[in-house]
Amino acid sequence: MKAIVNGKLVFPDRITEGVVLMDGDRIIASGDCLVPEGCEIIDAKGLYVGPGLFDEHVHGYKQYGECIDAKDDARAAALAHLKHGTTQITPSAAYSLTKEEFISQIDQCNEAMEKGDTNIVGIHFEGPFTNPKHGANSHLTWEFSEEACKEIFERAGKNVLHCTYAPEMPHGERMEEVLKKYGVIGDIGHTRADEASLLRAVKNGARIVTHLFDAMGKYGFDEAGQMTPGGLSLQGTVADILLGIPDLYYELICDSRCIHVNASSMRLALRCAGEDYIICISDTTGRPNQLNPEDYPPEDPKSATDLNFNQLGQLSGSRLSASQSVAHFMKETGTDVRVGFKVGSANSAKALNLYDSYGSIEAGKYANIIFVDEKFTVKKVIFKGNELSEIRE
């Protein structure tokens, strides 16, 4: 048995002094409890103690001199993020992959989860049937087919937890039937859907918004930017509608320059949705041979070391970790560590129906725990009851 002492325990509703007791890979008690004799003591040294982070949207890893694409080595990419405190992750197989690459990533995740030596807890399909006009390399979006749906969803089985799609596409309603059939949560993204399509999607089970404000268009306009018959207003965007729909979870990519989501939009999302429905993600991509930040002057967004741009100069995910995304969100919204653990862990676990096992340091959950300072810098990672030897901030 192990006991974490001298820490500020972070629960969803409070921060308090106390103890966390772990036995094997589970938390058996937390809060105001006694330390049994013979326990191995882990001294938190006054740091905040909370649940390991949950990154539900990530394509790879690109930091510390490493560049790992999840399509090539999903397990290695996930374990690199573990060093930053991401103890739960759902690698994202994207619309830009070939069918062979998509299936390979599914197989890798399945294999890692079967072995159990991983922080992968499921799979995210970002597409492959999204709107081909929205997102980096969006022209690579797959053409919808029943055969392709059957192949990828049955290949992933119960391990595919959520799937991004564009409700306005001709196959939108059919996708909702597919997701319901396979028990997969619908994510709305890479879209320019109108209000009717979005409300229908939510009614049919859509629950998560893929990177709010990113890869979302105006819903009342044609390709030339002219208002179409029935177009609503010059302010009309998909994000406007989605923020007005209750009980949705909203992903935000929070980089240091607020390029993916500007600071005022972060605050707007928090004000509209509340702290229980915001999810900070990394959306890290690990592809090599993309633009090098060192080649651009400091005033150019392409010089940001936590952003990623593809060969076409398109903003294509990031080089973030989930902990860094949370830290930037906290800084720009003025929220505290308690909220940081909600947007970085609890809310993803709840959105994906995994809160019984992850997302807080309550008794009965996995002993996936991190220590952070007041700026949410990760100082220690405990994964399934064991301390990691290498930590990356």
Side-chain angles (χ1 to χ4, degrees):
M1 190 179 297
K2 300 175 183 178
I4 299 171
V5 302
N6 297 328
K8 301 169 187 171
L9 307 189
V10 184
F11 295 97
D13 59 344
R14 69 195 187 282
I15 299 175
T16 184
E17 294 182 356
V19 172
V20 178
L21 298 179
M22 302 176 290
D23 192 10
D25 64 358
R26 295 280 179 166
I27 298 169
I28 59 172
S30 58
D32 185 13
C33 50
L34 297 176
V35 178
E37 289 187 15
C39 265
E40 178 183 336
I41 302 299
I42 301 172
D43 189 347
K45 299 179 180 179
L47 292 169
Y48 294 93
V49 177
L53 302 179
F54 197 141
D55 196 343
E56 66 174 35
H57 189 144
V58 58
H59 301 274
Y61 181 81
K62 193 180 285 187
Q63 286 195 54
Y64 285 73
E66 294 184 40
C67 181
I68 310 169
D69 195 327
K71 73 176 176 61
D72 299 322
D73 197 336
R75 180 178 177 275
L79 291 177
H81 280 280
L82 178 61
K83 297 172 184 178
H84 294 268
T86 301
T87 57
Q88 295 84 231
I89 199 166
T90 57
S92 304
Y95 58 83
S96 57
L97 302 182
T98 65
K99 185 168 75 170
E100 291 73 21
E101 292 170 335
F102 204 99
I103 289 173
S104 173
Q105 186 168 327
I106 291 171
D107 290 346
Q108 291 178 57
C109 291
N110 285 346
E111 182 180 357
M113 292 177 68
E114 184 175 355
K115 288 182 177 178
D117 59 344
T118 183
N119 52 333
I120 298 173
V121 297
I123 307 170
H124 168 222
F125 288 173
E126 188 173 16
F129 313 113
T130 48
N131 190 316
K133 294 182 173 62
H134 292 282
N137 288 316
S138 58
H139 62 285
L140 297 175
T141 296
W142 299 13
E143 183 176 347
F144 179 82
S145 77
E146 301 281 351
E147 181 182 355
C149 281
K150 178 178 171 60
E151 185 170 8
I152 62 175
F153 281 96
E154 293 191 358
R155 191 81 170 218
K158 62 180 175 57
N159 290 337
V160 56
L161 300 182
H162 56 131
C163 173
T164 301
Y165 74 107
E168 77 279 12
M169 299 300 288
H171 58 262
E173 287 190 81
R174 180 59 188 130
M175 271 302 303
E176 289 153 17
E177 294 172 1
V178 169
L179 297 177
K180 183 176 181 180
K181 174 182 176 181
Y182 291 102
V184 176
I185 295 165
D187 298 5
I188 297 168
H190 294 269
T191 178
R192 61 166 60 193
D194 59 9
E195 186 172 17
S197 298
L198 293 170
L199 291 174
R200 184 205 72 230
V202 173
K203 181 180 179 181
N204 288 337
R207 166 172 207 189
I208 299 171
V209 177
T210 296
H211 43 55
L212 183 69
F213 302 114
D214 275 310
M216 292 183 175
K218 292 181 178 294
Y219 54 81
F221 296 80
D222 61 21
E223 292 306 303
Q226 300 299 311
M227 189 176 288
T228 59
L232 299 182
S233 74
L234 292 176
Q235 290 107 15
T237 66
V238 177
D240 291 337
I241 307 172
L242 290 169
L243 282 172
I245 300 176
D247 300 325
L248 288 175
Y249 291 88
Y250 304 88
E251 294 178 350
L252 296 178
I253 309 168
C254 302
D255 58 83
S256 62
R257 304 243 189 132
C258 300
I259 301 298
H260 280 280
V261 182
N262 65 48
S264 60
S265 293
M266 290 184 207
R267 293 189 288 269
L268 173 66
L270 179 61
R271 185 178 178 88
C272 291
E275 63 185 42
D276 293 325
Y277 290 94
I278 300 295
I279 294 172
C280 288
I281 61 168
S282 69
D283 197 20
T284 301
T285 53
R287 294 201 171 186
N289 304 319
Q290 300 200 322
L291 300 190
N292 185 352
E294 296 179 0
D295 294 338
Y296 297 88
E299 65 273 12
D300 192 319
K302 296 183 182 68
S303 69
T305 57
D306 61 355
L307 293 176
N308 195 68
F309 292 84
N310 64 20
Q311 296 92 329
L312 300 176
Q314 298 171 322
L315 184 60
S316 179
S318 81
R319 303 176 186 220
L320 290 162
S321 66
S323 61
Q324 292 158 352
S325 185
V326 170
H328 296 147
F329 176 83
M330 287 171 51
K331 176 184 175 183
E332 300 300 339
T333 61
T335 47
D336 64 3
V337 170
R338 182 187 63 81
V339 174
F341 275 110
K342 273 194 169 183
V343 301
S345 186
N347 295 346
S348 289
K350 289 179 178 179
L352 297 177
N353 297 321
L354 294 176
Y355 193 63
D356 285 346
S357 297
Y358 309 104
S360 79
I361 55 171
E362 295 164 311
K365 300 193 178 185
Y366 280 103
N368 293 344
I369 299 169
I370 63 174
F371 299 2
V372 302
D373 63 16
E374 68 280 356
K375 294 183 178 180
F376 219 83
T377 305
V378 177
K379 300 297 184 179
K380 187 183 291 291
V381 178
I382 296 173
F383 179 58
K384 295 184 179 179
N386 297 309
E387 292 183 54
L388 264 64
S389 59
E390 181 184 354
I391 305 300
R392 296 178 176 178
E393 296 183 352

